[in-house]
Amino acid sequence: MSDKKIVDKQYQIEDTEHSRQILEKAMEVAMKEIPKGHVATYIPELGKVDPNQLGVCFYPLKGDKICIGDYDVRFTMQSVSKVIMLIVALEICGLDNVFRKVGAEPSGEAFDSLVELDKNDAKPYNPLINSGALAVSSLLLPEVSFQDMLRYTRRVCSDPEIDLNRTVYDSEMATCSRNRSISYLLESKGIIATDVEDNLKLYTKMCSMNVTADSLANLANKLANDGVSTVDGKRYMSSITARIVKTLLLTCGMYDGSGTFAIKVGIPTKSGVGGGLLAVSDKRAGIGVFSPALDAQGNSIAGCKLLREIANKLCLNLFYDPEWDKKIEEETVITNLREHSVM
Ligand code: GLN
């Protein structure tokens, strides 16, 4: 493939009409996945959500934002809020203090696991699983209030309407035995040094903020642009914070599905059990997705399919190689991986 063609591919996302067509087609393909998934029920309120919803917001650094389907439906941020807590903790507590409490390695286990935590010297694998985020929020607890975090979330998501969903919050607080267990275990190891119950409240309130696919795209757009808004030119986090967050999204953002997702899609992404996906195509676009039916790992089943489609069609895979453009070759690779039980 000539250099010109590579350049054309890279700039295609600035062609709004072309991107819109690809997104609309991807929506159709992704919609078919919904019946294979299930809404989360371990938080009873989430079990009441209509699974047949799908929305996407695609926000390139250059070019117009494209929003389709249920992009303005409010849903709770859930684990996507771990990204915001990590950003704020890196900014105000510093990198050393954060990574003294949590690791930066993929866990290979369920997001709410406490299996490994009881081992001597064990600390949470990373800040994007429940144990790691509970440790991060305990660093924040003496420094900020929930109102401070809400204010920052509204700013960084460019969405003043974000608020606490009290019903989902109460529902999770009444059923959060696993997070409570993780928290007391972390306290016994000296990783949580603040009041455990207050910390659980802060963590759960963060999970219960009502966002839209649009607000997630706004945050993803700033991350893609190294922490600076493409609208007002203001910096919302340091570039090193943006870089660390993006790296962890790639390696740990989809829990024990992170490796497979990185192979199939190759866009650093964070999921939440509310059905949200925050996807950061570095230097190119921020993407927010909402679809509440989840796969076995707790990631939006149609949302992942949608991202896979647009990663392929808009060449957003981090390791995109124009020579790999031939569909037949991709299918061969996937078949090989399946035979070797990678996916
Ligand atoms: N609030 C949820 C929990 O703590 C968030 C988990 C998730 O989105 N994966 O279990």
Side-chain angles (χ1 to χ4, degrees):
M1 189 179 279
S2 70
D3 284 354
K4 171 154 187 333
K5 196 150 180 207
I6 297 171
V7 171
D8 284 351
K9 281 266 181 205
Q10 282 171 355
Y11 284 88
Q12 267 177 4
I13 63 167
E14 286 169 32
D15 178 347
T16 307
E17 251 337 286
H18 173 254
S19 299
R20 177 179 288 280
Q21 280 169 18
I22 285 180
L23 284 162
E24 276 168 0
K25 180 84 193 101
M27 288 275 293
E28 271 173 41
V29 175
M31 202 64 117
K32 298 197 181 97
E33 295 294 302
I34 291 178
K36 298 183 200 158
H38 302 280
V39 293
T41 49
Y42 76 100
I43 300 172
E45 265 316 296
L46 295 187
K48 298 181 187 166
V49 172
D50 172 10
N52 296 308
Q53 302 183 84
L54 177 61
V56 61
C57 220
F58 181 76
Y59 192 2
L61 300 196
K62 293 179 195 149
D64 297 329
K65 193 198 276 184
I66 306 166
C67 297
I68 304 180
D70 298 310
Y71 70 90
D72 57 355
V73 171
R74 297 250 158 218
F75 59 94
T76 51
M77 208 174 200
Q78 300 300 336
S79 274
V80 183
S81 67
K82 293 174 167 91
V83 174
I84 303 211
M85 292 203 286
L86 177 61
I87 292 171
V88 177
L90 287 169
E91 292 294 312
I92 65 178
C93 309
L95 195 140
D96 289 348
N97 286 324
V98 170
F99 290 107
R100 203 171 289 135
K101 298 278 184 194
V102 294
E105 306 303 333
S107 74
E109 280 161 14
F111 62 81
D112 58 355
S113 173
L114 33 71
V115 172
E116 295 282 326
L117 276 182
D118 196 27
K119 291 187 179 157
N120 285 345
D121 299 331
K123 57 183 180 185
Y125 274 103
N126 67 68
L128 300 181
I129 51 174
N130 290 14
S131 55
L134 284 158
V136 169
S137 91
S138 79
L139 274 178
L140 292 172
L141 192 63
E143 310 292 337
V144 296
S145 64
F146 171 67
Q147 285 306 321
D148 295 330
M149 293 299 290
L150 181 59
R151 245 191 314 273
Y152 179 71
T153 305
R154 287 172 176 162
R155 286 184 51 230
V156 82
C157 293
S158 308
D159 179 359
E161 311 275 289
I162 296 175
D163 223 332
L164 175 68
N165 183 328
R166 193 39 83 174
T167 317
V168 173
Y169 170 71
D170 289 340
S171 178
E172 181 163 9
M173 281 309 286
T175 52
C176 67
S177 308
R178 285 193 76 81
N179 285 340
R180 186 167 273 119
S181 313
I182 291 170
S183 301
Y184 281 102
L185 185 54
L186 291 178
E187 185 195 36
S188 77
K189 298 169 74 99
I191 293 174
I192 289 185
T194 51
D195 184 88
V196 168
E197 294 299 322
D198 285 347
N199 191 47
L200 258 178
K201 286 181 196 154
L202 175 61
Y203 166 93
T204 311
K205 279 184 181 161
M206 292 299 296
C207 291
S208 309
M209 287 187 295
N210 257 338
V211 293
T212 63
D214 192 357
S215 21
L216 296 187
N218 292 336
L219 167 57
N221 177 283
K222 293 184 184 77
L223 281 162
N225 199 33
D226 287 333
V228 174
S229 161
T230 48
V231 177
D232 61 19
K234 285 192 192 146
R235 179 166 285 289
Y236 288 75
M237 73 199 78
S238 64
S239 53
I240 181 72
T241 290
R243 192 176 105 187
I244 292 169
V245 168
K246 283 181 277 197
T247 311
L248 287 171
L249 293 188
L250 181 69
T251 54
C252 315
M254 305 295 277
Y255 317 115
D256 44 339
S258 298
T260 309
F261 185 83
I263 293 173
K264 287 181 176 175
V265 182
I267 305 176
T269 300
K270 181 77 201 87
S271 64
V273 290
L277 292 169
L278 166 96
V280 184
S281 175
D282 198 32
K283 312 291 184 290
R284 304 191 68 197
I287 309 160
V289 186
F290 166 58
S291 187
L294 309 176
D295 65 16
Q297 280 80 32
N299 299 320
S300 169
I301 198 159
C304 290
K305 183 70 172 181
L306 187 124
L307 286 177
R308 185 176 181 178
E309 286 294 306
I310 63 175
N312 281 340
K313 302 277 162 40
L314 292 173
C315 313
L316 299 177
N317 189 311
L318 204 51
F319 306 106
Y320 170 66
D321 175 349
E323 292 303 325
W324 207 60
D325 214 11
K326 305 158 205 137
K327 188 150 191 310
I328 185 80
E329 190 184 343
E330 184 197 346
E331 273 160 11
T332 314
V333 172
I334 302 288
T335 309
N336 287 341
L337 289 168
R338 249 189 224 117
E339 273 166 17
H340 294 94
S341 308
V342 176
M343 49 179 67

